[in-house]
Amino acid sequence: MTGVLSVKNLTVSFRQDGATVQAVKGVSFDVGHGETVALVGESGSGKSVSALSTVSLLGDSAGVGGSATFDGRELIGASEAELRKVRGNDISFIFQEPMTSLNPLHTLEKQLAEALALHQGLVGAEARARIVSLLTRVGIHDPESRLTAYPHELSGGQRQRVMIAMALANRPKLLIADEPTTALDVTIQAQILDLLEDIKRDEGMSMLFITHDLGIVRKIADRVCVMKDGQIVESGPTQQIFANPQHPYTQMLLSAEPTGLPEAVAENAPVVAEGTNMRIWFPIKTGFMRKVTGHVKAVNDATLTVRAGETIGIVGESGSGKSTLALALMRLIQSEGGLHFEGRDLRRLSGRDLRQLRSQMQIVFQDPFGSLSPRMTCEQIIAEGLEVHGSPDGLAHQDAVTTVMQEVGLDPEMRHRYPHEFSGGQRQRIAIARAMVLRPKLVVLDEPTSALDMTVQAQIVDLLRDLQQKHNLAYLFISHDLKVVRAMSHKLMVMKQGDVVEAGDADQIFANPQSDYTRALLNAAFEAA
């Protein structure tokens, strides 16, 4: 097979504070015409750096060596003028988070027109016709009405479709897709993968697909290159790698999926939190007098009860009302309906009494880097709640921090470091420690594993189950990753556009879903497994 991209003995190093860090160490791979090759590995393995270095997108601090030829043309060391002809034209990119890749100040038409004018000289009516055609091709409904829209007016799936349209604008020979589905719901993820596969086949395009999700690799890739510490440790046809992995690291990646089930809940377990017929509508106010002219119906009628030692998984697509429901159950936002915590009516509590209860309800967020203050040390972050509520165990604050760090698998000697000095998994352990140090009764886990590598996901799931058993915790586990939900949850609540479409025992719903929407979610999550 003739290669469209051929990388030989690629090396990449970065100069930082007088030191040199070797990020890529002698990597070689080929992408054939019409072929999809997946670069797989955990964060920091060198996947994205390898791809970006081929067209000199790493900046001045990077030193790149070796060879990367595209259709026989050498790209390493090529002039900026030559590289500009290739970038966005012959080789296009799709990145992980479309909201940060699209310009928030420009309309969709302006952003798409820029690439067409630069590489093809298309302007005016001719460019607009091509843009409409592209948006139609990637599944944007009524594209003419979307031309004047800004990125924030689109959903995550729609933004990623626009990114794909931009990448396809000049009919590239090679598409480099860097984690293009990580931030998307499971059903949207399946749609994007199907779309990419259709486009690749119709256009005769090649694709270099960068991901840490092996389920996606199995579905979309012809060949796989497994990366670890800047090197390719194993490569070969996808079916062969999955059926008979040779390298211990590949074997570990394939076995890293969260497994097992949570421990059974005691029959006499007390109810920790209860919401009855909860409704959360946000008023839409318009006009000079700010008159209410409608409502955003975030949650329509939800009832749930969570007991000590029990996990309720709440699943559904973005905008379905999952996080809104959890915040309302903690009385962090206004809602209608019954609301009780350990038998106390939260609606009747004064501000002071409610503040005293806050230590009993804690939350862990999706992105640990965004939820931890970069100006505070690990110890200060974990101890912040102790400054407000005091230590529940009567320990000195430093002793309480040391104890909880050991519980979550962190070395207490690292307590003086700042968030940027930790890995993603370690940062999430800090966020969990911050919640657990107050010895809460209820913990809301809002997508706590979606930003993590597969191996780290499995570790965090095991940690959360261990902490639940040790402290008899009640969990609300919000996620769009149904494999993680299955490993964590006793009960399951499926939400769509503010409605609870199905609820009950997790085992029964996974084995025999009753609603079409639940079946669609399960099919999208497990068809590649």
Side-chain angles (χ1 to χ4, degrees):
M1 179 184 290
T2 306
V4 64
L5 178 69
S6 181
V7 175
K8 302 296 181 188
N9 197 31
L10 180 71
T11 61
V12 182
S13 58
F14 292 96
R15 297 180 298 278
Q16 187 173 22
D17 298 329
T20 300
V21 178
Q22 194 81 7
V24 177
K25 308 165 186 174
V27 162
S28 299
F29 62 89
D30 296 296
V31 182
H33 286 286
E35 184 183 41
T36 298
V37 174
L39 282 182
V40 183
E42 297 178 281
S43 298
S45 61
K47 309 184 300 294
S48 298
V49 169
S50 296
L52 293 171
S53 66
T54 59
V55 284
S56 299
L57 286 177
L58 293 178
D60 295 334
S61 66
V64 182
S67 171
T69 57
F70 176 76
D71 268 358
R73 290 175 287 170
E74 180 60 62
L75 299 179
I76 305 298
S79 67
E80 190 63 27
E82 281 294 313
L83 290 170
R84 273 200 297 268
K85 292 177 184 177
V86 174
R87 295 180 193 139
N89 190 32
D90 294 324
I91 300 178
S92 286
F93 286 81
I94 305 172
F95 296 104
Q96 178 173 349
E97 180 44 72
M99 196 60 184
T100 58
S101 302
L102 297 171
N103 191 321
L105 303 178
H106 292 170
T107 64
L108 302 189
E109 182 176 17
K110 184 171 183 179
Q111 297 190 57
L112 281 159
E114 187 177 15
L116 293 172
L118 181 64
H119 292 288
Q120 296 187 28
L122 291 182
V123 294
E126 195 176 2
R128 174 173 279 233
R130 172 72 174 142
I131 291 168
V132 170
S133 173
L134 283 166
L135 293 177
T136 302
R137 179 73 182 88
V138 299
I140 296 290
H141 180 67
D142 192 14
E144 289 89 348
S145 68
R146 293 291 193 180
L147 295 178
T148 57
Y150 290 87
H152 72 272
E153 298 178 286
L154 306 178
S155 69
Q158 288 172 328
R159 286 194 290 264
Q160 196 60 289
R161 288 173 188 270
V162 172
M163 278 295 298
I164 294 171
M166 291 177 69
L168 298 174
N170 296 302
R171 296 185 174 91
K173 295 179 181 178
L174 174 65
L175 178 65
I176 298 178
D178 191 354
E179 300 274 15
T181 61
T182 302
L184 303 178
D185 296 315
V186 63
T187 49
I188 305 299
Q189 184 182 91
Q191 293 169 18
I192 295 297
L193 292 176
D194 289 341
L195 173 62
L196 287 172
E197 190 64 29
D198 289 346
I199 290 169
K200 191 196 85 165
R201 184 182 61 250
D202 295 346
E203 303 283 340
M205 186 176 65
S206 304
M207 184 155 56
L208 181 61
F209 199 97
I210 300 165
T211 185
H212 65 259
D213 190 330
L214 289 163
I216 292 175
V217 171
R218 180 182 284 171
K219 181 174 182 180
I220 202 168
D222 300 305
R223 287 191 300 115
V224 183
C225 298
V226 181
M227 291 195 70
K228 181 180 189 293
D229 298 332
Q231 296 176 303
I232 292 178
V233 296
E234 187 168 1
S235 62
T238 302
Q239 290 184 337
Q240 178 183 312
I241 295 290
F242 274 83
N244 188 25
Q246 299 298 305
H247 195 278
Y249 181 70
T250 310
Q251 295 167 358
M252 184 193 70
L253 284 180
L254 288 170
S255 63
E257 199 171 273
T259 56
L261 297 169
E263 293 288 333
V265 182
E267 291 185 7
N268 61 346
V271 172
V272 174
E274 187 174 19
T276 310
N277 302 120
M278 295 178 69
R279 190 178 83 163
I280 306 146
W281 288 12
F282 297 106
I284 300 171
K285 298 180 180 181
T286 58
F288 179 74
M289 301 298 291
R290 308 299 294 158
K291 184 178 180 181
V292 175
T293 56
H295 290 86
V296 175
K297 299 177 181 180
V299 177
N300 292 316
D301 184 11
T303 296
L304 75 160
T305 300
V306 58
R307 299 181 296 161
E310 184 176 55
T311 300
I312 295 183
I314 307 178
V315 301
E317 296 176 346
S318 297
S320 60
K322 308 185 299 293
S323 298
T324 301
L325 176 62
L327 293 174
L329 192 70
M330 301 170 75
R331 226 193 98 175
L332 290 173
I333 58 175
Q334 292 296 317
S335 65
E336 297 178 19
L339 202 57
H340 291 83
F341 186 86
E342 292 194 316
R344 301 176 70 180
D345 189 342
L346 291 183
R347 300 195 184 285
R348 296 179 178 274
L349 294 183
S350 65
R352 182 177 181 179
D353 291 337
L354 189 60
R355 275 194 299 275
Q356 290 177 344
L357 266 187
R358 287 281 176 229
S359 64
Q360 302 299 303
M361 333 169 183
Q362 293 295 302
I363 189 165
V364 178
F365 296 100
Q366 176 175 351
D367 179 7
F369 199 66
S371 64
L372 304 179
S373 171
R375 295 182 176 87
M376 297 171 69
T377 65
C378 171
E379 181 176 27
Q380 290 170 331
I381 289 168
I382 295 172
E384 191 174 16
L386 300 175
E387 303 290 342
V388 178
H389 297 287
S391 175
D393 299 328
L395 297 173
H397 290 184
Q398 184 174 324
D399 293 336
V401 169
T402 298
T403 300
V404 79
M405 286 185 72
Q406 290 171 334
E407 273 191 357
V408 301
L410 290 170
D411 183 354
E413 293 298 316
M414 300 191 295
R415 66 184 184 276
H416 301 303
R417 296 185 186 177
Y418 290 85
H420 72 273
E421 298 178 270
F422 293 90
S423 69
Q426 288 174 322
R427 284 195 288 263
Q428 196 60 289
R429 290 174 187 267
I430 295 170
I432 293 169
R434 176 175 59 182
M436 298 299 177
V437 74
L438 291 169
R439 301 299 177 217
K441 304 288 181 63
L442 171 69
V443 180
V444 172
L445 301 156
D446 194 353
E447 299 274 13
T449 62
S450 64
L452 306 176
D453 293 318
M454 300 293 283
T455 51
V456 182
Q457 275 189 16
Q459 294 166 14
I460 294 297
V461 167
D462 289 340
L463 170 63
L464 290 170
R465 288 193 299 212
D466 290 345
L467 290 170
Q468 183 174 51
Q469 279 295 296
K470 183 175 182 180
H471 299 295
N472 206 25
L473 294 166
Y475 285 157
L476 286 186
F477 192 89
I478 300 165
S479 182
H480 65 255
D481 189 333
L482 289 165
K483 295 174 185 176
V484 176
V485 170
R486 182 167 63 178
M488 284 289 302
S489 303
H490 300 91
K491 293 180 180 176
L492 193 63
M493 176 180 284
V494 183
M495 297 190 70
K496 181 183 181 184
Q497 296 176 352
D499 294 319
V500 178
V501 298
E502 193 162 352
D505 287 338
D507 288 345
Q508 293 180 10
I509 292 178
F510 276 106
N512 186 27
Q514 298 300 303
S515 76
D516 291 340
Y517 180 68
T518 307
R519 280 192 287 271
L521 283 179
L522 293 176
N523 288 339
F526 296 108
E527 66 175 357

